[in-house]
Each structure stands twice: as structure tokens, then as C-alpha cells.
Amino acid sequence: MSTKILLATSLLALLSFGSLAQQQPAAQTLPIPRNLQATYAKGTRSPDGQPGPNYWQNAADYVINISFDPATRRVAGTVDISYRNNSPDSLRQLLFKLYPNLYQKGAARASSIRPEDVSEGVQIEQMSINGQEVNVRGLRADATNLPVGLTQALGPKQTARVALRYSYVLNQTSHMRTGEIEPGADFVAYFFPRIAVYDDIDGWNRHPYNGQQEFYNDFCNFQVNITVPRHFVVWATGDLLNAEQVLTKKYVKRLRDAEKKDAVVNVIETADLQRRDITADQAQNTWRFAAQNVIDFAFATADHYVWQSTSLVVDPKTKRRTRVDAVYNTKHKDYEEVVLFARKTVEAMSYTFPRWPFPYPHITVFDGLDQMEYPMMVNDNPVHSREDAITLTDHEVFHTMFPFYLGTNETKYGWMDEGWATMGEWIISKIIDPKLDDDYGVQPYAQNAATEVDVPITTLSTQQTGTAFFLNSYPKPALGYLYVQDLLGDELFTKALHHYIQTWQGKHPMPYDFFNAMNAGAGRNLNWFWQRWFFDGGYPDLAIQRVTKQGSGYEVLVQAKGSKPVPVDLTITFADNTTQQIHRSIAVWESGATSVTVPVPTDKAVKQVKLGSTWVPDSYPQDNVWTGK
């Protein structure tokens, strides 16, 4: 946040850290903006990281029937919504999100689009609320926001039933997370009018979508029926309910086999595409999907993509399996291993990090034109190297946990999901290929730290662009999470992270819910680090101040010239050219020390001492090497 309002510690906050305070009487507290502090007073959230006794969130059931014509790119259909007002407020309007209006003439956009993609936006052709017709000609959308007044307020615990008919034309070029990929292949996201989040912090989520910041949606249930021409296969969020009606028997059998096998099954291969016997022999086929308790729904369709599929047990207790799909144009050779990379990611997420059973029944990585995640779906462009294919695949699949399993507000707090996906990428890429040294964003942070473009991580994402937005969404929070894992050790860190996940799964955590839940889960007050890494300015800079001979060994004095706490990694090279690695976690800086002495017990002569490692940025690395005389 660009402006931090420092408030006196409340009695509630003191009580929440009572047990910690016994161990650490002067336990540090974090600065809380007034509007977020107000959630404690309302009882919707608690300083111990738990939802408060008055926590609530709204939800809805969507029944969507659409037809999509790949030739004209026209999306048209109906949406029926049962929207439950669980808030204590009477709502005098419903706010709808019309994300395709990013392409509407006159809409504010973070980047330009091609003239042929400028459209009239979403056309609401009919709408009724609780059976009462709405004058759609009188509706005025403000780009991606459409407020609709209610003739009778929607009271607490009441349900509004909305029925609407709409249409729009999917963008052909200017691909921003959605659109035509090539003739006969489309990734269709944000394709239906939806009711915006109304929460205990901001009320209605009125932030318009401009193509940069990502999304904030409620957890909802979806029944979606998608009608496309014959030969087009559909992949989507949710379970396919009528495979036997839209696929011919051979392909249904292959799909069912894939759902039971660890091996990769070619559900659709090149020869099948040439035979064109894949879908039911009808001019149009309707594909029916259902998804429960998810924050979004997207689909993709193609008439010339191959489909590889495999599955694995993600929960050893229940033997539950997740199916993993890769769907692509065979001219993109980088996609040939993507199903394996995605499978390995799901396995690593379930058993290594975050060591939580993959929460959804399937995940499809689709050959598209972006690098974007959706519940159970990924839209990934082709890339030039195997390394890029690994890091892109595991990053996007990792988003399954953040923001989809925990419904964070990506629009305001991009670091609460992108930072985790970046850390997951660093860890899982090494599992997929141990030779891969992925340092995504570390050097850009070292170079830009404490310059004009560098602002605190907790600055709202809506207030950032360019380099600042990148640094604060991706490498900076990822490094912060990584250092806390190193500080606590894998077991305690996993315990703390699981506490956060378990507490906020299916809900909308704000930043302080995360910080406080991690503190509670770890049984330690980590605010000294949260403050310095997430709230404060500064830059990382360690230096070797001196190396001295001490008895049977050496001592290395490492100075923290910068204010950002980072681990100390030393590579000691001896006269016989053997080496030794010495590591100290950020714990050495918890007391506020500005230097640390690292002993090097040895009976060998030291030739060189080098400071630093892959995931430790240093803005001034010139003083990181000592050479013996």
C-alpha cells in the first residue's frame, strides 16, 4: 500500500499474540490501514489470522447456456443466476462484471488493441431480476462495470434471481488472456456477465478491468452448456457430464482409461484428426459441464488439436486421482512434453510443495496465445525452449492453489498469488529437471531495488504498472516466502502454510489474514520480517567485510549494507581447490544486527571466499569476493 497508516496497537491485537508476547514481550506489530483495521472492529476478521465470528461472503449459482461459432466468433446465450446476499447489508443495486468490454470502443486499457478488435462490447438483450423485467436500454455500463439498480433492496440472507440474454464477438487478434488462437482454435474466458464481489472491505468490487491487474470473483457453482459445431472438441473448467453424447465410443474409452492410468493416453492423435470421427455426428453438439465452489469458468475449443491425457493419485488417503491434459497443435513441438511437465507439477504440489492434495479433478494445459491460469484450465503460448516450457507450465498450474483454492483479491494484491506461483516454479522446475537453474526475476529485483520504480510489496496492484508491478507481484514476494521457509525449516513452514490454507480455503483472505495466519501456524511472530520485506523500502546488499585466521580455522565477517534481510551463503575455496558451502538463514538479522561472523572450521588454507547464491539478490555485488594472499 502506497500510504501506510500507523495505528496504536489495539487491545484485540495484543490479545491475539498473547502467547507469543510471553516469549517475546515486545513483539512487533504491523501497520494496518484504517479500512482493514475496521474489519476487526466489525468482527469479520480477526488479528489471529482467523475469519472473525461475523465473517461472511456472498455466493451464487450460475446456469449458463451458450452457443459459440468459431467462424464468426460470436458468443451468445443465457445466464441464470441465484445470488445469495450473506452480508448484513441491504443491497440497492447489483454490480455486474462485463470483462469482454475490455475491447469495447472507448474502454480504458493498459495496452492498445488492434482496430479490428474494437467492438460494441457485451450486448445485454434481456434481463429480469426476481421475475421483474429490467429496461436494458436504460442500462449504462462503465466499461467492464455494469450497475443495475434494484426496485426493492436485496436484504440480508435474501436471494436475487437474475435471468439475462446476451451476446458479444470474441476478439480475433489483440489476444489478452482470451480470444481466437488461430482459425479453428479459441480460448474463451470471461465470457459471461457475472455479479461482482461484494465484501466486508470495499463493498462492491468497482475496480474496472483494464487488461493488467487480474481478477477477484466469488466462489460459485456452475452448470455450463456449450454448443459448438461438429468436429469441435471442448475442454473446460468442471467435469464433462455427457462425454458419451458428444464423443464417439472410441474416444470416450480412451478418456476413461486416462482417468485410471498413470501412463499417458493419446485421447486424440493426428490420425484421428484426419479421420474426423471424434465428435457425435450432428451439425451442433452441446457439451455439458459442472463445477462446484470455483471462482471462475473458462473453456477452449478446437477442431485440429491433439489431446494427451494421464492421471495420478493426488490423495493417498482417499486414492483420489487428478486427470492431467495437454491439448495442442502438433506443429508446436515444445508441447510434446507438456503433459509430463504438468503431471509432475501436480505430483509435486501434492507431495512436496505445498504438500497439499491437488484440489481439483483435472487440469488442462491448452496451446494458446497467453500465459494465464483459470480453475482447471491453462492458456499457455508456445515457447522456444524446453526450460521455458517447464517453467511456464509449472507456474501456471501452481496457480491452482493461489488464487483458486484460496480466493485472494488478485486485482488489489497480486503478490498473494503470483508470488506463490513464482516460488512454486523455482521449487518444482528443479524437481522436473535438476539441471535447471531458474532465477526468474531475481536479478531484475537486485538491479531495481530502492530505485524510483521500486515501491513496497504491499502497495496496491492497482497503483502499479511496469517494472514496479512485475517486481512486487513475482520475485519480491516469492523471495520473501522462500526466506521464511528457510528460516522455519520445511516442516514448520509447511505446518504454517497448511494452517493458512486450511483456515482460508474457499474464502477471501486479505494480506493481514495471511501474515497473521502464518504467525499463528508457525507459533512465531514473524512480523519483524514481514515488516522489512513486505512493507519497508530498501535494497538487499551483503558484503564481505573481512576474513581472518582464527586458531584452527577462519572467521568471515559479513556486513549487511542494505536493509533487506537476505540469507548468507558462502562458498569457501581452499588451496587444494576443494570447496565448502556455508549457509545462514535470515534468522541472523532478526535481532537487528548489521553484521554476522561466520566461522569456517578447517585445517586447510583458504584461497577464496565468495558471497551469494541464485536466490539471494545483491544490489552491489562488487564486494562479495575475498581472495587470500
Side-chain angles (χ1 to χ4, degrees):
M1 291 142 193
S2 58
T3 303
K4 297 195 290 284
I5 303 170
L6 301 179
L7 300 175
T9 304
S10 67
L11 176 62
L12 194 57
L14 288 170
L15 290 174
S16 72
F17 291 114
S19 61
L20 293 172
Q22 293 174 13
Q23 307 166 23
Q24 192 175 350
Q28 184 172 341
T29 58
L30 297 173
I32 307 177
R34 286 184 297 158
N35 61 314
L36 302 186
Q37 180 84 5
T39 65
Y40 299 158
K42 291 187 292 188
T44 55
R45 297 165 195 265
S46 170
D48 62 2
Q50 294 281 339
N54 299 327
Y55 179 81
W56 56 266
Q57 64 192 51
N58 292 349
D61 296 327
Y62 285 78
V63 178
I64 303 172
N65 291 277
I66 68 156
S67 62
F68 174 62
D69 182 356
T72 63
R73 305 186 315 284
R74 185 172 187 265
V75 178
T78 62
V79 181
D80 292 282
I81 311 169
S82 293
Y83 178 72
R84 296 181 292 282
N85 178 21
N86 296 319
S87 82
D89 306 324
S90 290
L91 306 180
R92 300 192 176 278
Q93 70 171 208
L94 296 179
L95 183 67
F96 289 81
K97 291 291 184 181
L98 307 179
Y99 291 131
N101 279 4
L102 177 70
Y103 294 89
Q104 188 180 43
K105 182 179 180 180
R109 289 179 283 269
S111 57
S112 61
I113 63 173
R114 293 176 64 90
E116 59 266 31
D117 275 324
V118 177
S119 72
E120 295 302 314
V122 176
Q123 301 298 301
I124 304 293
E125 296 153 5
Q126 179 273 332
M127 177 185 288
S128 66
I129 299 177
N130 291 329
Q132 184 173 354
E133 286 294 319
V134 174
N135 177 15
V136 295
R137 292 185 178 182
L139 297 178
R140 295 290 181 268
D142 181 9
T144 57
N145 285 340
L146 176 66
V148 178
L150 299 176
T151 56
Q152 183 175 348
L154 182 67
K157 307 305 178 185
Q158 291 184 345
T159 297
R161 289 178 172 80
V162 179
L164 62 88
R165 186 174 72 251
Y166 77 106
S167 65
Y168 77 98
V169 177
L170 184 72
N171 52 296
Q172 185 173 27
T173 56
S174 311
H175 194 107
M176 294 184 194
R177 305 185 173 117
T178 182
E180 182 180 272
I181 297 160
E182 59 193 31
D186 302 84
F187 197 100
V188 188
Y190 327 118
F191 63 93
F192 57 95
R194 73 190 74 198
I195 299 178
V197 173
Y198 183 87
D199 70 14
D200 62 316
I201 296 174
D202 297 319
W204 288 113
N205 169 29
R206 297 186 183 277
H207 290 290
Y209 172 52
N210 66 5
Q212 176 170 280
Q213 290 86 21
E214 295 182 18
F215 303 92
Y216 183 37
N217 297 312
D218 274 320
F219 285 89
C220 299
N221 300 322
F222 291 90
Q223 295 180 40
V224 183
N225 305 318
I226 303 163
T227 301
V228 293
R230 184 188 175 195
H231 303 308
F232 279 84
V233 179
V234 179
W235 298 265
T237 301
D239 296 322
L240 176 60
L241 303 181
N242 66 332
E244 288 78 8
Q245 282 74 53
V246 292
L247 293 169
T248 56
K249 289 182 179 181
K250 175 170 57 176
Y251 302 98
V252 173
K253 183 180 184 305
R254 291 178 185 176
L255 179 60
R256 299 303 180 221
D257 286 346
E259 291 171 341
K260 302 171 186 174
K261 290 183 177 180
D262 291 346
V264 174
V265 174
N266 292 319
V267 180
I268 299 174
E269 48 195 4
T270 304
D272 303 319
L273 295 170
Q274 295 168 349
R275 275 193 300 272
R276 295 176 72 79
D277 65 345
I278 299 165
T279 65
D281 185 12
Q282 301 177 118
Q284 302 279 321
N285 288 305
T286 298
W287 301 65
R288 304 185 186 282
F289 296 90
Q292 306 297 312
N293 204 34
V294 295
I295 63 173
D296 204 355
F297 190 102
F299 75 92
T301 186
D303 66 354
H304 61 284
Y305 276 23
V306 298
W307 179 1
Q308 293 177 313
S309 188
T310 180
S311 66
L312 67 155
V313 173
V314 295
D315 187 344
K317 293 181 180 178
T318 64
K319 305 301 181 184
R320 180 173 61 82
R321 300 181 76 90
T322 288
R323 195 186 79 235
V324 180
D325 300 331
V327 179
Y328 60 97
N329 189 325
T330 55
K331 70 182 180 182
H332 297 144
K333 300 301 181 184
D334 61 294
Y335 252 90
E336 291 177 353
E337 289 185 275
V338 163
V339 70
L340 300 177
F341 301 155
R343 176 195 168 88
K344 196 68 177 177
T345 302
V346 171
E347 181 181 51
M349 290 175 65
S350 301
Y351 296 101
T352 305
F353 178 74
R355 206 188 307 165
W356 189 279
F358 194 83
Y360 298 120
H362 63 84
I363 180 77
T364 299
V365 183
F366 194 83
D367 180 1
L369 289 176
D370 213 288
Q371 301 182 356
M372 189 62 194
E373 68 282 354
Y374 309 83
M376 304 176 227
M377 294 288 290
V378 171
N379 176 9
D380 273 353
N381 59 280
V383 291
H384 297 295
S385 70
R386 186 174 187 269
E387 175 180 338
D388 288 343
I390 291 172
T391 57
L392 177 57
T393 300
D394 59 29
H395 182 105
E396 303 305 339
V397 172
F398 197 89
H399 273 297
T400 296
M401 292 299 296
F402 311 94
F404 300 138
Y405 199 56
L406 283 78
T408 57
N409 186 341
E410 300 175 89
T411 307
K412 290 173 63 175
Y413 316 120
W415 58 271
M416 292 186 74
D417 70 293
E418 295 294 356
W420 286 113
T422 302
M423 181 181 175
E425 172 190 326
W426 290 341
I427 292 172
I428 295 172
S429 294
K430 294 284 285 186
I431 294 172
I432 296 173
D433 184 351
K435 300 189 296 296
L436 199 156
D437 203 7
D438 178 21
D439 60 352
Y440 177 64
V442 177
Q443 282 310 306
Y445 172 50
Q447 293 162 7
N448 289 284
T451 66
E452 288 180 310
V453 300
D454 186 31
V455 295
I457 294 172
T458 50
T459 305
L460 294 181
S461 297
T462 51
Q463 298 173 351
Q464 303 175 54
T465 58
T467 301
F469 181 80
F470 167 72
L471 295 177
N472 284 326
S473 296
Y474 297 85
K476 284 173 66 178
L479 290 168
Y481 304 147
L482 194 70
Y483 298 162
V484 172
Q485 181 189 46
D486 182 43
L487 169 70
L488 298 178
D490 186 58
E491 288 303 316
L492 183 55
F493 177 79
T494 300
K495 178 185 174 185
L497 182 56
H498 283 191
H499 176 72
Y500 169 53
I501 293 172
Q502 210 159 24
T503 301
W504 287 98
Q505 183 274 317
K507 300 181 178 65
H508 296 311
M510 69 176 183
Y512 297 86
D513 299 323
F514 161 69
F515 295 131
N516 295 332
M518 289 293 289
N519 288 352
R524 291 181 59 171
N525 190 312
L526 301 169
N527 288 348
W528 73 272
F529 179 73
W530 303 136
Q531 175 75 52
R532 291 174 66 179
W533 196 264
F534 287 81
F535 291 81
D536 294 347
Y539 59 91
D541 179 25
L542 299 182
I544 297 176
Q545 194 168 26
R546 63 174 177 267
V547 178
T548 55
K549 187 78 173 70
Q550 293 290 335
S552 61
Y554 291 78
E555 286 185 347
V556 181
L557 183 63
V558 177
Q559 181 182 5
K561 289 185 172 181
S563 60
K564 289 294 186 183
V566 293
V568 177
D569 286 290
L570 297 175
T571 301
I572 314 296
T573 302
F574 299 103
D576 61 1
N577 290 324
T578 59
T579 60
Q580 178 184 352
Q581 306 290 328
I582 299 177
H583 173 77
R584 296 289 186 272
S585 78
I586 56 171
V588 297
W589 312 118
E590 183 172 1
S591 66
T594 57
S595 63
V596 60
T597 299
V598 181
V600 184
T602 182
D603 55 4
K604 299 179 182 180
V606 170
K607 183 167 68 173
Q608 184 190 77
V609 179
K610 187 175 182 180
L611 177 64
S613 68
T614 300
W615 292 292
V616 179
D618 196 311
S619 295
Y620 296 96
Q622 298 88 345
D623 45 16
N624 287 5
V625 177
W626 174 90
T627 303
K629 297 178 181 178

